[in-house]
Amino acid sequence: MRDIEMAKESLSDRDKKHLWHPLTQHKTSPEMLAIKKAKGCLLTDENGKEYIDGISSWYTAVYGHCNEYITGKVAEQMQQLDQVVFSGFTHEPAIKLSEALVKILPDGQQKLFFNDNGSTATEIGIKMALQYHHNLGNDRKVMLAFEEGFHGDTFGAMSVSGLSVYNGAFEDHFIRVERIPVPTKDNTSEVLSILEEKIEKHNIAGFIYEPLIQGAAAMKFHDPEGLNAILKKCRENEIILVADEVMTGFGKTGKYFASDHITEKPDVVCMSKALTAGLLPMGLTSCSMKIYGAFYSDDIAKGLFHGHTYTANPLACVAALAGVELLVSKDIQANIQHISEANIEFCKKLEGNSKVKNVRSRGVIMAFELDVETDRYGGLRNKLFKFFMDHGVFLRPLGNTIYILPPFVISDKELSKIYSVIESALTEF
Ligand SMILES: *Cc1c(COP(=O)(O)O)cnc(C)c1O
């Protein structure tokens, strides 16, 4: 009887009883939309309404949802080996994935440490930088980060992030961090002198940065040459370079990794999100032999004593491997190129609009600001979100920033629809 009663209620209503959602103030945002199905670039809700996934479900499902190549590989793996301890054991999916990734990672990345998500990937990147110096007997305990960066929600990751809504309540418990502004075309020498001062005053172990594009800071772009100069200065001062490519990795900027756009290469790379193509959760932190070498010792305590139970889960490894195979394929590379060009064309069109500023694009990522003041989670943002959803497009504006990051497999028709709904929003607001 109770089951029948329950069945009459919508999923959205039943959700309210027991579920607590991420990044949500439930008092002001009580409604969750129930999604029943996802295929390719489309999400379908419980009433059958379809939405084009304009942000690849938070930058994960870049080869489309329920991609049959990937689900097929995972289904096969499920019959073979589901899970095994990765301490003392190894398996082919992890080995094959490491071989495939080392080929596409920025030069010098040789060793892969598995974890569960983007936050743990950066957490381990931070630990690698700190313990590298600890193992060498250097007194360096401070991390360097960009203002407004976002690196995740665990304590280390949160400490180096600069967004107060996320981490304000925990400030007293942060690891030590110094922050510098991101480089723009005009401020690089200023940023470099701030950096020099910080290097002189603090014993900096590592620099964690989102290369070229800060995702959570509302797709804020910074200057490649400026970044390169900062990285060079850090390297000269033995500061470990930790590139957080959780958002930018796997083709989104038009190259395999955002670090590929600049000459100074990272010592450590953090990966997640599109790593597993939106199918399963997993993170990875890779590093160079220089880093690995500082942990390789007869002394057990010099090892990296960090491990998650599901480390290198074979199903997630197979999903990731299938994703990499698609990424390097001619078809996907051509699609990325095609979307990049379409974005550039759309940007040109937007630039003539007086309601719009800071129009920018790199690879499949395109963003701009509406020329109005509003707060990050304010009324305008909610109205825009609703407008897009009512028109069948899932975009998640941040404050007055509208951005897209469509799956690489999006059709011309779907992409045009995203653009035209954005244009209608500009007329409407
Ligand atoms: C999303 C994100 C993270 C955190 O990843 P989670 O999987 O959500 O923990 C870290 N860094 C960047 C740049 C991100 O975009």
Side-chain angles (χ1 to χ4, degrees), residues 32-259:
M32 297 295 138
L33 181 67
I35 298 298
K36 280 270 226 194
K37 199 178 130 180
K39 185 74 191 162
C41 300
L42 291 179
L43 304 174
T44 310
D45 75 14
E46 66 176 318
N47 301 314
K49 183 170 165 60
E50 290 183 332
Y51 310 87
I52 300 171
D53 186 351
I55 61 161
S56 306
S57 285
W58 260 342
Y59 336 138
T60 59
V62 291
Y63 314 104
H65 289 275
C66 297
N67 181 302
E68 277 163 30
Y69 181 71
I70 303 171
T71 55
K73 293 278 184 181
V74 173
E76 244 172 67
Q77 181 61 39
M78 272 181 179
Q79 311 296 320
Q80 187 68 33
L81 171 66
D82 50 356
Q83 165 68 10
V84 70
V85 172
F86 204 62
S87 185
F89 295 103
T90 192
H91 50 72
E92 195 176 28
I95 294 165
K96 279 185 155 174
L97 176 61
S98 68
E99 291 163 352
L101 274 175
V102 163
K103 284 195 193 123
I104 63 164
L105 275 163
D107 282 352
Q109 296 299 299
Q110 285 294 320
K111 288 284 179 179
L112 267 54
F113 195 97
F114 283 93
N115 43 76
D116 293 348
N117 55 60
S119 304
T120 53
T122 58
E123 196 79 24
I124 289 164
I126 294 164
K127 280 189 167 185
M128 281 181 180
L130 293 173
Q131 197 182 337
Y132 169 87
H133 285 292
H134 176 83
N135 284 358
L136 294 183
N138 300 337
D139 178 28
R140 295 204 188 204
K141 299 199 171 117
V142 180
M143 287 300 293
L144 182 72
F146 277 138
E147 289 165 359
E148 296 193 296
F150 177 71
H151 302 288
D153 295 333
T154 51
F155 272 85
M158 196 166 56
S159 307
V160 292
S161 298
L163 295 165
S164 57
V165 205
Y166 292 74
N167 56 17
F170 309 102
E171 227 165 318
D172 290 348
H173 311 281
F174 283 0
I175 64 165
R176 284 156 64 193
V177 56
E178 288 296 319
R179 298 177 210 280
I180 56 171
V182 294
T184 61
K185 278 260 171 274
D186 328 300
N187 74 350
T188 299
S189 59
E190 199 183 312
V191 175
L192 284 175
S193 65
I194 297 173
L195 173 60
E196 270 164 28
E197 210 180 317
K198 301 259 184 212
I199 291 174
E200 213 155 283
K201 273 207 199 134
H202 307 277
N203 294 329
I204 296 172
F207 174 43
I208 184 162
Y209 57 101
E210 292 165 271
L212 301 188
I213 303 175
Q214 294 180 304
M219 293 297 160
K220 195 168 173 185
F221 283 31
H222 54 263
D223 180 47
E225 273 131 62
L227 177 62
N228 214 44
I230 290 169
L231 298 183
K232 193 153 176 282
K233 172 82 56 199
C234 286
R235 166 148 297 134
E236 285 163 8
N237 288 280
E238 297 284 317
I239 294 169
I240 301 304
L241 305 177
V242 182
D244 178 355
E245 295 252 14
V246 171
M247 192 284 285
T248 50
F250 300 97
K252 293 170 204 131
T253 66
K255 299 204 184 234
Y256 292 145
F257 292 89
S259 297

Side-chain angles (χ1 to χ4, degrees), residues 362-381:
R362 188 182 276 283
V364 305
I365 303 170
M366 191 279 301
F368 65 89
E369 269 84 53
L370 282 177
D371 200 359
V372 287
E373 288 294 318
T374 177
D375 63 275
R376 186 177 172 89
Y377 298 102
L380 175 69
R381 183 255 164 224

